Amino acid sequence: MYLYEHSDICRLCDKKAITRSYCKYHYEKLLREKKITPHKVFDRETKFLMKVLHNVNGRCLNPHAGGYERYGGKGIKNLLSIEDLRYLYHRDEGSKLQRPSIDRRNSDGDYTLDNCRFIEWRENAEDGLIRGRAAYLKRVREKKCTL
């Protein structure tokens, strides 16, 4: 059995496992002896902010991520940490939003404290559609001018 696999039976005895493939007795004993660390439980807000950070990093760093060409491909970098996101979330009262979404005020700028805010997802999506439509119309006009 690999170390990262979990089973229903304790690794050290034949009792029913409660967590990490250990029975209650062995789990508590290993915790006391500091041979394992307890599972870290995050609150809902922290889980959400970790997901936001993961998605932002993916868009900026991973060439295989959806949207990379519009973010990392254009040279946009993420300069925010989880603490920065928490600050923005509280500053913009993200807990009062129905579906908070990270937004860059200047779409050509990096993810920084000065350039980012949390807004409603719908507002962010509509803003992106408007900017995309404006860019599309600009390209069409430029093509007509060159003909």
Side-chain angles (χ1 to χ4, degrees):
M1 179 186 301
Y2 296 104
L3 290 177
Y4 57 85
E5 287 183 359
H6 301 298
S7 71
D8 295 333
I9 306 293
C10 177
R11 293 179 188 176
L12 305 174
C13 67
D14 292 329
K15 292 182 182 172
K16 185 175 181 339
I18 58 160
T19 183
R20 287 195 174 179
S21 301
Y22 295 111
C23 66
K24 183 176 181 180
Y25 170 78
H26 285 112
Y27 180 71
E28 290 174 354
K29 182 179 177 195
L30 292 168
L31 281 175
R32 279 192 308 275
E33 295 171 356
K34 300 190 184 224
K35 292 188 176 176
I36 61 172
T37 57
H39 287 292
K40 200 163 191 176
V41 178
F42 296 107
D43 60 286
R44 192 172 178 181
E45 177 184 299
T46 303
K47 283 182 183 179
F48 169 73
L49 294 174
M50 289 168 67
K51 184 177 177 181
V52 169
L53 185 62
H54 174 78
N55 291 341
V56 167
N57 282 333
R59 288 191 293 258
C60 293
L61 301 172
N62 182 2
H64 302 291
Y68 174 80
E69 64 280 350
R70 295 186 310 271
Y71 297 89
K74 287 182 9 182
I76 293 171
K77 298 181 207 91
N78 175 29
L79 305 174
L80 296 173
S81 66
I82 191 82
E83 292 81 18
D84 295 332
L85 285 175
R86 188 177 310 281
Y87 168 76
L88 290 172
Y89 188 76
H90 289 283
R91 183 195 70 188
D92 301 333
E93 299 179 333
S95 60
K96 294 181 180 177
L97 300 173
Q98 287 183 344
R99 193 170 172 192
S101 173
I102 189 89
D103 175 56
R104 288 175 295 130
R105 288 183 177 101
N106 173 6
S107 61
D108 294 327
D110 294 331
Y111 283 93
T112 62
L113 274 174
D114 297 334
N115 193 35
C116 290
R117 63 184 174 169
F118 276 96
I119 60 174
E120 279 293 346
W121 177 84
R122 183 175 302 254
E123 183 184 339
N124 201 1
E126 288 170 356
D127 189 35
L129 289 173
I130 291 168
R131 279 192 302 241
R133 177 82 174 145
Y136 169 75
L137 291 173
K138 183 179 175 185
R139 285 194 307 269
V140 168
R141 279 189 227 111
E142 288 173 355
K143 284 183 180 179
K144 284 182 180 178
C145 290
T146 58
L147 293 177

